[in-house]
Amino acid sequence: MTFSAILKKDLSKLPFGSKACQRAELSGMIGSVATISVSENGAMAISIKTENPAVAARCYQLMKTLYQIKPKIKIEKTRKFKEHRAYRVVVEEPWTAKIILEDCQILSYNANGQAFFANQVPEKFKKQQNQTKAYIRGAFLGSGSVSNPEKTYHLELVGKKTPLANKKIEKKIERSSATGTEQCAYLQSIKTILDSYEIKSNLIHRKAHWVLYLKEGASVVDFLSVIGAHRGLLEMENIRIVKEVRNDVNRQVNCETANLNKTIAASYDQVADIMLIKEQFGLKNLPRNLYEIAELRLNYPDASIKELGERLDPPVGKSGVYHRLKKLNQIAADLKRK
């Protein structure tokens, strides 16, 4: 089972909370993933499709608890894998579907009494934080996914192609798919809420769908906190900590390795200069301070500048040792030119 499936299973076990929160969560599911069909005579039906049986069960229980109905659950085989299944929670009774859509603020009416489908998070569920969080949880259960944090940090909500989104309902009406603008507007309304929680997200268009996605680990963690996925949040935080420690260790090792390589390369050049001076000029002919540092470098080719300075009597700082080695380099360069 994927990390995303486990996360949704855990979320589906959360207590329902107040009736208002239940309504908000169901509204999030319907708004994000449901197909709403309208016949020519205006009869409506709701179909919520999910590949997660726990999500289908939660949707069923929400409808049963709120409206004392027993929606149908249909099991479909998909083409992805041989044994892969999808689940549909279906409300076919027109009057019941209409009540649910109105109660969840999906179906609204303008000042002239004309009905239309909302393509954004209903204002009613933005007024109370617990209802707002419940709505976002429902939207995630319906259309969300999250990558395994061991590999990468990525969470997204995928926009749907919805019949009649934001289309006025007349006596006779044909089915119509949601435009890209409507997909974008719906996800933008969710993005605005995430912005209010200081959760960084982005909108992109991908394969005929708009996608709201989060890439930073901190943003994904904050999102999980908002929707109440505390177990997944803790697991992800543990993974993040291990990753950060591992990365810090790797950076430190890489830095120390790079410094060691630089020290060895510089030492090799310094020893080569000193051997040239020894062969063509003689080390004993050097000033005492240069002779001492030359002998030390030959005896301790792997020592750092600091270590060489500490071995001198009296000890000399790094700048003093560097200055003497530079003098030896200049002497070797003069000998090469002769």
Side-chain angles (χ1 to χ4, degrees):
M1 191 179 290
T2 64
F3 182 81
S4 187
I6 294 171
L7 187 65
K8 288 188 176 183
K9 185 177 180 180
D10 288 342
L11 284 170
S12 297
K13 294 178 181 178
L14 291 177
F16 283 127
S18 67
K19 293 288 185 181
C21 287
Q22 293 177 45
R23 200 172 290 112
E25 185 174 328
L26 181 60
S27 179
M29 288 185 185
I30 296 173
S32 64
V33 77
T35 298
I36 305 168
S37 59
V38 182
S39 66
E40 290 186 356
N41 64 2
M44 301 178 198
I46 304 169
S47 176
I48 299 175
K49 183 179 179 180
T50 176
E51 295 178 359
N52 192 307
V55 173
R58 187 169 179 89
C59 181
Y60 177 92
Q61 287 297 329
L62 283 169
M63 288 185 176
K64 182 180 178 182
T65 303
L66 287 168
Y67 307 107
Q68 292 74 53
I69 64 168
K70 292 183 178 180
K72 293 182 180 179
I73 294 185
K74 299 180 179 180
I75 302 175
E76 306 171 353
K77 285 188 177 181
T78 67
R79 296 181 180 179
K80 287 185 178 180
F81 303 101
K82 191 174 181 180
E83 297 299 326
H84 200 73
R85 291 181 175 86
Y87 305 84
R88 282 189 182 275
V89 182
V90 182
V91 178
E92 294 178 332
E93 206 285 312
W95 180 248
T96 304
K98 184 172 181 288
I99 290 174
I100 292 173
L101 293 173
E102 289 177 346
D103 197 36
C104 290
Q105 304 291 301
I106 305 296
L107 179 63
S108 300
Y109 300 88
N110 62 20
N112 297 323
Q114 293 175 310
F116 62 94
F117 290 105
N119 65 338
Q120 62 179 355
V121 178
E123 291 296 325
K124 178 179 179 178
F125 302 129
K126 295 180 184 178
K127 296 176 181 179
Q128 297 290 332
Q129 278 205 19
N130 56 350
Q131 294 178 37
T132 304
K133 291 179 178 180
Y135 186 94
I136 300 300
R137 179 168 59 249
F140 176 78
L141 287 172
S143 66
S145 65
V146 58
S147 300
N148 185 346
E150 289 277 8
K151 298 178 180 178
T152 184
Y153 302 124
H154 185 89
L155 184 148
E156 65 181 32
L157 303 177
V158 180
K160 59 168 182 170
K161 292 183 177 179
T162 322
L164 304 171
N166 208 31
K167 300 291 183 181
K168 291 181 180 179
I169 301 174
E170 309 292 349
K171 290 183 179 178
K172 292 184 179 181
I173 193 163
E174 297 179 355
R175 290 190 177 189
S176 172
S177 294
T179 66
T181 303
E182 289 164 344
Q183 287 188 47
C184 184
Y186 175 72
L187 291 175
Q188 181 62 54
S189 69
I190 294 180
K191 184 181 187 309
T192 301
I193 293 174
L194 297 185
D195 289 343
S196 70
Y197 287 108
E198 297 183 352
I199 298 174
K200 186 177 180 181
S201 60
N202 295 285
L203 266 171
I204 58 168
H205 191 260
R206 186 181 71 202
K207 295 181 180 179
H209 291 274
W210 282 93
V211 179
L212 178 65
Y213 70 94
L214 291 70
K215 287 292 289 184
E216 297 178 1
S219 296
V220 175
V221 166
D222 290 343
F223 183 94
L224 296 183
S225 177
V226 166
I227 64 175
H230 301 301
R231 180 180 168 186
L233 184 155
L234 291 174
E235 184 176 344
M236 188 169 176
E237 281 286 54
N238 287 336
I239 292 170
R240 285 182 67 203
I241 291 169
V242 171
K243 274 188 173 182
E244 287 176 5
V245 170
R246 187 187 300 134
N247 291 338
D248 287 343
V249 170
N250 288 339
R251 278 193 295 269
Q252 186 174 351
V253 169
N254 291 338
C255 183
E256 289 176 356
T257 301
N259 289 336
L260 181 59
N261 289 336
K262 287 170 65 177
T263 298
I264 292 172
S267 174
Y268 176 83
D269 293 339
Q270 292 158 7
V271 169
D273 289 341
I274 293 168
M275 292 302 296
L276 178 65
I277 295 170
K278 183 177 181 180
E279 292 172 2
Q280 296 189 20
F281 185 73
L283 295 182
K284 291 186 178 180
N285 295 322
L286 292 170
R288 182 176 178 80
N289 63 336
L290 297 185
Y291 171 77
E292 290 176 347
I293 199 66
E295 285 289 329
L296 276 176
R297 175 48 86 196
L298 290 177
N299 293 331
Y300 302 99
D302 296 333
S304 65
I305 298 293
K306 182 181 179 182
E307 291 170 341
L308 289 177
E310 291 172 349
R311 289 181 179 277
L312 289 169
D313 186 18
V316 176
K318 290 171 66 176
S319 60
V321 174
Y322 179 78
H323 179 73
R324 295 182 189 187
L325 290 171
K326 190 173 181 181
K327 283 283 187 182
L328 291 173
N329 175 259
Q330 291 172 352
I331 293 171
D334 291 339
L335 290 174
K336 288 176 185 178
R337 285 194 290 269
K338 291 181 180 179

